[in-house]
Amino acid sequence: MVRPREFQEDKALEKAMLLFWEKGYEATSLSDLTTSMGIQKPSIYAAFGDKKELFEAALRKYIHEHATFFRRHLQSGSSVKEAIHTLFQEIVAQAYQDDRSRGCFCINTMVELAPHEPRFEVLTREHQLYLTVIFLETIERGKKAGELQPHINAKALANTLVVSLIGLTVMMKSRPDRTFVDQSVETVMQLLD
Amino acid sequence: MVRPREFQEDKALEKAMLLFWEKGYEATSLSDLTTSMGIQKPSIYAAFGDKKELFEAALRKYIHEHATFFRRHLQSGSSVKEAIHTLFQEIVAQAYQDDRSRGCFCINTMVELAPHEPRFEVLTREHQLYLTVIFLETIERGKKAGELQPHINAKALANTLVVSLIGLTVMMKSRPDRTFVDQSVETVMQLLD
DNA sequence: CAAGTTAATTACCGTTCGGTACATAACAGC
DNA sequence: GCTGTTATGTACCGAACGGTAATTAACTTG
């Protein structure tokens, strides 16, 4: 270590994440990245590798924060039904308050890259599985507490909640009337009864 | 009309559709298109306009066929529950038998282009709405026939079925164990009871 | 068969792409 | 303050991008 970095690696990665998240992999150029990250191309390559490695680092950062977001909402002490309901409502509210809704970076990557790049197929599948497990634990907790009926198939329900969240997130990309989305959330919540 | 076209416009558009469907807009180059369509760039421009217009034509073709596929399944004379169930199962089966599952071209476009291009936001939203109406009519038919319970909120249920289909289609892009998907289908079907 | 019109082919346009060689600048240790 | 090492900025690389001008070929009509 003789000359220190003049930029903060994590701040730069955060900027890259936001850009890839909003525009996707192909539509984001290195020129866009240098502008947004505030550093030149050789610095990017020295710190993160090539474009695809930078993208993967950005996605991993997103996935980590996204998982934390889910844990915070679902592993709270309150009612299980309420926690799940609130999580869904918050995701919807965020999408509609943000003018240029980026949706979910992981979902965007599943659509754009997973079918052609095994590394992203695996990465996104594992995150999806992780979210399912968090839902599963939450449902089991609700069953033990007597809040959810014991005959509920926890695994199947957890899967379905993840499927519904993916569907809602993607649907909102075309900005449908909010009524549609809110109605769907309420309908999915019936599965908890 | 003095010199006739040497290629069939619809065959060429079909090729373009398959390519855009599989690779998306940005990742498909004009060079890819000329190879696959079997015609040169000037012919593409003469027949379809620029890349984005060709993409839109391809998407419109897909949407038209996709809508027909849904109508055929849902407006059949048989049981409503069975028709919906079969539709879901067929979509899942197709995704898993195809090695390189392209998913749904319309959904892919919602994710890649809708947030940045109003024309595709509108186009995909309208198709989504159209599918919802087909589901709605099917559900109403089931209610009138006494197959579905009268207290069911048909609009909300139709929305939710579309949301679930989107979620399933996107989820399958990361090739999860099929058990997850099948379980979700069965769980969603509970909403019809 | 000649004239007029349109399609196809070739070759090319300027621009931007992802990526890098090279020179310069900033630090640590002696 | 010198030396060695690493980071930065500049300038550039070949390749590929989307798109087009210009030529050649194929047909219909008179």
Side-chain angles (χ1 to χ4, degrees), chain B residues 1-4 28-30 41-42 45 50-51:
Chain B
M1 294 286 167
V2 281
R3 179 179 175 178
T28 302
S29 70
L30 281 182
K41 283 188 274 183
Y45 278 82
D50 67 13
K51 188 186 176 189

Side-chain angles (χ1 to χ4, degrees), chain A residues 1-3 28-30 41 45 51:
Chain A
M1 293 287 164
V2 280
R3 178 180 177 177
T28 302
S29 70
L30 281 183
K41 281 187 276 183
Y45 277 82
K51 189 188 176 188

Side-chain angles (χ1 to χ4, degrees), chain A residues 111-165:
Chain A
V111 172
E112 186 184 5
L113 299 181
H116 312 96
E117 313 236 5
R119 63 206 276 201
F120 294 114
E121 178 191 308
V122 172
L123 196 52
T124 56
R125 180 172 60 225
E126 284 176 353
H127 179 54
Q128 199 170 270
L129 186 58
Y130 184 78
L131 296 186
T132 306
V133 169
I134 299 179
F135 270 118
L136 178 60
E137 290 170 354
T138 305
I139 293 165
E140 297 285 11
R141 181 162 57 86
K143 282 170 78 169
K144 270 178 194 147
E147 193 186 342
L148 298 182
Q149 301 203 3
H151 64 73
I152 280 182
N153 183 336
K155 274 193 181 180
L157 180 54
N159 290 339
T160 308
L161 292 177
V162 173
V163 167
S164 302
L165 267 182

Side-chain angles (χ1 to χ4, degrees), chain A residues 40-180:
Chain A
Q40 259 61 39
K41 281 187 276 183
S43 297
I44 293 179
Y45 277 82
F48 304 103
D50 68 12
K51 189 188 176 188
K52 201 144 276 177
E53 289 176 285
L54 173 58
F55 182 89
E56 183 171 342
L59 178 58
R60 285 186 184 277
K61 178 178 169 66
Y62 174 86
I63 283 177
H64 183 259
E65 296 174 3
H66 193 242
T68 302
F69 174 83
F70 269 66
R71 281 197 308 271
R72 242 204 331 269
H73 273 80
L74 294 179
Q75 296 175 347
S76 67
S78 64
S79 148
V80 162
K81 278 188 190 176
E82 193 183 313
I84 295 176
H85 198 178
T86 304
L87 172 63
F88 273 67
Q89 285 177 323
E90 186 158 326
I91 287 171
V92 170
Q94 273 186 12
Y96 274 94
Q97 82 184 25
D98 223 350
D99 256 356
R100 40 188 218 181
S101 99
R102 299 173 293 252
C104 169
F105 188 12
C106 184
I107 289 174
N108 298 352
T109 304
M110 285 171 69
V111 172
E112 186 184 5
L113 299 181
H116 312 96
E117 313 236 5
R119 63 206 276 201
F120 294 114
E121 178 191 308
V122 172
L123 196 52
T124 56
R125 180 172 60 225
E126 284 176 353
H127 179 54
Q128 199 170 270
L129 186 58
Y130 184 78
L131 296 186
T132 306
V133 169
I134 299 179
F135 270 118
L136 178 60
E137 290 170 354
T138 305
I139 293 165
E140 297 285 11
R141 181 162 57 86
K143 282 170 78 169
K144 270 178 194 147
E147 193 186 342
L148 298 182
Q149 301 203 3
H151 64 73
I152 280 182
N153 183 336
K155 274 193 181 180
L157 180 54
N159 290 339
T160 308
L161 292 177
V162 173
V163 167
S164 302
L165 267 182
I166 294 173
L168 286 167
T169 303
V170 171
M171 174 176 254
M172 289 190 289
K173 291 234 159 197
S174 74
R175 305 222 151 259
D177 189 299
R178 183 154 175 180
T179 314
F180 289 82

Side-chain angles (χ1 to χ4, degrees), chain B:
Chain B
M1 294 286 167
V2 281
R3 179 179 175 178
R5 285 255 159 80
E6 292 183 5
F7 65 94
Q8 298 178 38
E9 219 163 292
D10 195 67
K11 295 278 182 191
L13 186 55
E14 170 87 14
K15 291 286 191 180
M17 183 188 84
L18 291 172
L19 210 56
F20 279 131
W21 183 0
E22 182 178 345
K23 305 182 58 171
Y25 177 77
E26 292 289 348
T28 302
S29 70
L30 281 182
S31 167
D32 295 331
L33 288 165
T34 58
T35 302
S36 175
M37 295 170 79
I39 56 179
Q40 261 62 37
K41 283 188 274 183
S43 297
I44 294 179
Y45 278 82
F48 304 103
D50 67 13
K51 188 186 176 189
K52 200 144 277 177
E53 290 176 284
L54 173 59
F55 182 89
E56 182 171 341
L59 179 57
R60 286 187 184 277
K61 178 177 170 66
Y62 175 86
I63 283 177
H64 183 259
E65 295 174 3
H66 193 242
T68 302
F69 174 82
F70 269 67
R71 280 197 308 271
R72 241 203 333 267
H73 273 80
L74 294 179
Q75 295 175 348
S76 67
S78 64
S79 150
V80 163
K81 279 188 190 178
E82 192 184 314
I84 294 175
H85 198 176
T86 305
L87 173 63
F88 273 66
Q89 285 177 324
E90 186 157 326
I91 288 172
V92 170
Q94 273 187 12
Y96 274 92
Q97 82 184 27
D98 222 351
D99 256 355
R100 43 187 216 183
S101 100
R102 298 173 294 252
C104 168
F105 188 12
C106 185
I107 289 174
N108 298 353
T109 304
M110 285 172 69
V111 172
E112 185 184 7
L113 298 181
H116 312 97
E117 311 237 6
R119 63 206 276 200
F120 294 114
E121 178 191 307
V122 172
L123 196 53
T124 56
R125 179 171 61 226
E126 284 175 353
H127 178 54
Q128 198 171 270
L129 186 58
Y130 184 77
L131 295 186
T132 306
V133 169
I134 298 178
F135 271 119
L136 179 60
E137 291 170 354
T138 305
I139 293 165
E140 297 285 13
R141 180 162 57 86
K143 281 170 79 168
K144 270 179 194 144
E147 193 186 345
L148 299 182
Q149 300 203 4
H151 64 74
I152 280 183
N153 182 335
K155 274 194 181 179
L157 179 55
N159 291 337
T160 308
L161 292 177
V162 173
V163 167
S164 301
L165 268 182
I166 295 174
L168 285 168
T169 303
V170 171
M171 174 176 254
M172 289 189 289
K173 290 233 158 196
S174 74
R175 304 223 152 257
D177 189 299
R178 183 154 176 179
T179 314
F180 289 84
V181 179
D182 288 334
Q183 279 183 348
S184 293
V185 170
E186 297 312 312
T187 304
V188 168
M189 288 306 127
Q190 290 175 19
L191 294 171
L192 302 180
D193 297 332

